[in-house]
Each structure stands twice: as structure tokens, then as C-alpha cells.
Amino acid sequence: MRHRSRWCAAAAMVLWIGTAQAEGIALEELKARNAVQLDAAALKALMTGAKIRYMIPAGSTRAWSNDADGSFVASTDGRAAGVGIGSISGRGAWRVSDEGAYCVTIEWQGPRSQTTEKWCRRFYQLDGKYYGALTHATGAAEATEFSITH
């Protein structure tokens, strides 16, 4: 019974973190510092084959590598908000919308259930770093720093 409770708490956390805005830099500050918003073509070129890594506000690190066919396998270290579920993984899909948003769906797999995470972010480049803001974000919203390498 304790394992079931632990997984339910973890599943709830994964759902929450998929929609939460991560701590980072205010979108209006990025724009004020002349960050460049990547258009659809530039974003697709950047994301194809990229290794993605970022930390969610609750403290877990997420990582995956974008395959050219639009798929990936993601992992998280499960350190979110002290839940301590340990690492879990999930199959995912990525795409770049015509409007220039990087969109992700991840099917997280747990010992007894499955949870889906889905989000889209617009990306900005500033001083060699990349920041993603939820597509409905306003100027006061936080943009999360992402490590994107090839």
C-alpha cells in the first residue's frame, strides 16, 4: 500500500510540473535585454538531434535527446519536492509548431500507472543560453533556462 501511495504522489507531481512555470528569468526581462525569439525554422534546426536538459521548479532534472523522427526517451531523477520517487523514464514525442513553439508529450512510466505530460514553449536565445516560456506566457511570466547541446 505504501508503494501505491508513493506512486500516486509522484504521478500528481509529474502532472503539476508539466504545467507549472519554472523559476528563471522574467520574459519581459529577456525581451528588454534583446533576447532573440527563435522562429519555427531556427527552432527546428536547433532541436533536431539536440540533447535537452533542464531543472523543474520542484528540483528534479529532466533530460532527453531529440531524434530526427520526432521521438525521444526522457528521464528524471525524481527529486521533485522531496517526493523521492527515484528516477523514472518515459517515451516522448517532440515537434515544432508552425507558430514557432517547441511542443513535447511524455508518457511517464511508473510501477503501477502511467502519466502524460504535455506542454509547448517558445524559445529565446540570450548570451549563448536558451530560455523556454510557456506559449501563453505574459511578460511577467518566468522563462526557464534549458541546456541544449549537440
Side-chain angles (χ1 to χ4, degrees), residues 72-131:
F72 60 80
V73 175
S75 65
T76 180
D77 56 21
R79 293 184 300 190
V83 175
I85 61 170
S87 61
I88 59 173
S89 64
R91 294 205 171 276
W94 71 276
R95 68 180 178 83
V96 173
S97 72
D98 292 339
E99 296 79 32
Y102 174 69
C103 299
V104 166
T105 302
I106 305 171
E107 299 292 336
W108 292 106
Q109 301 293 322
R112 291 192 171 82
S113 66
Q114 177 177 318
T115 304
T116 301
E117 176 180 340
K118 197 172 193 177
W119 49 261
C120 292
R121 287 186 168 91
R122 298 201 191 282
F123 273 78
Y124 298 81
Q125 184 176 19
L126 178 67
D127 298 331
K129 296 180 180 179
Y130 297 98
Y131 299 86

Side-chain angles (χ1 to χ4, degrees), residues 13-73:
M13 184 61 65
V14 168
L15 285 174
W16 174 78
I17 58 183
T19 57
Q21 291 182 359
E23 292 182 37
I25 186 171
L27 185 55
E28 60 193 12
E29 184 179 338
L30 273 176
K31 291 178 178 180
R33 293 175 56 194
N34 295 319
V36 175
Q37 182 177 347
L38 302 178
D39 65 17
L43 190 56
K44 184 158 183 139
L46 173 68
M47 293 300 189
T48 302
K51 292 176 177 55
I52 311 293
R53 185 176 178 89
Y54 74 106
M55 183 179 286
I56 62 167
S60 292
T61 300
R62 302 283 184 85
W64 62 83
S65 293
N66 288 334
D67 292 336
D69 68 358
S71 66
F72 60 80
V73 175

